[in-house]
Amino acid sequence: DAGVTQSPTHLIKTRGQQVTLRCSPKSGHDTVSWYQQALGQGPQFIFQYYEEEERQRGNFPDRFSGHQFPNYSSELNVNALLLGDSALYLCASSYTNYGYTFGSGTRLTVV
Amino acid sequence: KQEVTQIPAALSVPEGENLVLNCSFTDSAIYNLQWFRQDPGKGLTSLLLIQSSQREQTSGRLNASLDKSSGRSTLYIAASQPGDSATYLCAVLSGGNTPLVFGKGTRLSVIA
């Protein structure tokens, strides 16, 4: 049984560019949450998707947007990248917000 | 707003020692609490999940306790091994549609 799959694993982008990160949830899970983790910090909540709609959102600017597809997979998009967006981006899936399972993350470096 | 604090931020112990990691949260009205392990640059691995109605959960050498009334949880690791070296994160779910809220973690080093 595959867990949560994230792609790509690493990414280098230039300031001002746009990036799309992808996440496939664990089988049987219907909710996807995205987190940003800076070095030495705990994960910070970006937003959560359920039934293809954004259900909750953390304190992140509108440059961060997302989408959930009918098969429950999800994308995180970040526009107008800043150096401060460099971080590990974690995707987690759950069944109706219960019992989170995390992926291995995407390491984004903005230069 | 739920806030989670983990103490200490870093811990170094000799192999074989029993140790306790601490987690505190500000709002005691929680749904559940999870402990995760994170190796450097990697994702999170769930270790234990404690429901609000439970007092503790055990898995192998790991035991997690929960005291909702005092807003505290502890992760006990018995007979520590160098392979236990990692960052341990505590996260709280306050119920409903609220997100999982994390502490900053405790970085554990077990010295052989």
Side-chain angles (χ1 to χ4, degrees):
Chain A
D1 177 28
V4 177
T5 304
Q6 291 189 243
S7 63
T9 55
H10 296 85
L11 204 51
I12 299 175
K13 289 287 190 178
T14 304
R15 275 180 301 174
Q17 284 188 318
Q18 179 265 344
V19 68
T20 297
L21 311 182
R22 296 177 174 81
C23 173
S24 293
K26 181 178 178 178
S27 178
H29 285 184
D30 58 6
T31 302
V32 174
S33 304
W34 287 92
Y35 285 81
Q36 180 195 67
Q37 187 179 25
L39 204 61
Q41 300 295 312
Q44 296 295 312
F45 175 71
I46 303 175
F47 43 54
Q48 184 182 85
Y49 278 85
Y50 173 70
E51 292 189 342
E52 302 180 50
E53 291 193 359
E54 183 183 288
R55 181 159 71 175
Q56 307 171 63
R57 188 178 184 92
N59 189 25
F60 279 80
D62 292 344
R63 297 186 298 109
F64 289 78
S65 64
H67 189 77
Q68 185 180 35
F69 299 94
N71 66 353
Y72 306 116
S73 67
S74 176
E75 289 182 349
L76 164 65
N77 301 292
V78 186
N79 295 321
L81 284 167
L82 304 174
L83 295 179
D85 294 332
S86 296
L88 180 67
Y89 287 84
L90 295 163
C91 170
S93 71
S94 59
Y95 177 68
T96 62
N97 211 31
Y98 173 82
Y100 283 48
T101 299
F102 280 79
S104 298
T106 294
R107 171 68 63 186
L108 173 64
T109 302
V110 182
V111 298
Chain B
K1 177 188 172 186
Q2 181 72 268
E3 293 183 2
V4 180
T5 303
Q6 291 188 246
I7 295 174
L11 183 63
S12 183
V13 301
E15 182 178 6
E17 191 161 299
N18 301 326
L19 58 100
V20 174
L21 307 181
N22 296 293
C23 171
S24 62
F25 45 94
T26 55
D27 184 350
S28 62
I30 67 169
Y31 184 65
N32 63 46
L33 182 146
Q34 269 183 280
W35 282 94
F36 293 88
R37 168 184 171 140
Q38 185 175 34
D39 293 298
K42 304 297 185 182
L44 277 60
T45 300
S46 181
L47 298 173
L48 292 164
L49 184 152
I50 310 177
Q51 296 281 32
S52 62
S53 59
Q54 298 175 318
R55 300 282 281 184
E56 65 179 291
Q57 281 282 350
T58 298
S59 176
R61 294 181 295 107
L62 306 179
N63 176 277
S65 68
L66 174 64
D67 184 344
K68 264 196 350 174
S69 60
S70 66
R72 294 180 182 177
S73 176
T74 60
L75 179 66
Y76 175 84
I77 302 177
S80 58
Q81 304 170 358
D84 294 330
S85 298
T87 295
Y88 291 81
L89 292 155
C90 169
V92 171
L93 190 68
S94 296
N97 294 331
T98 60
L100 198 61
V101 177
F102 284 85
K104 292 186 177 181
T106 294
R107 190 173 69 254
L108 173 66
S109 297
V110 181
I111 311 300

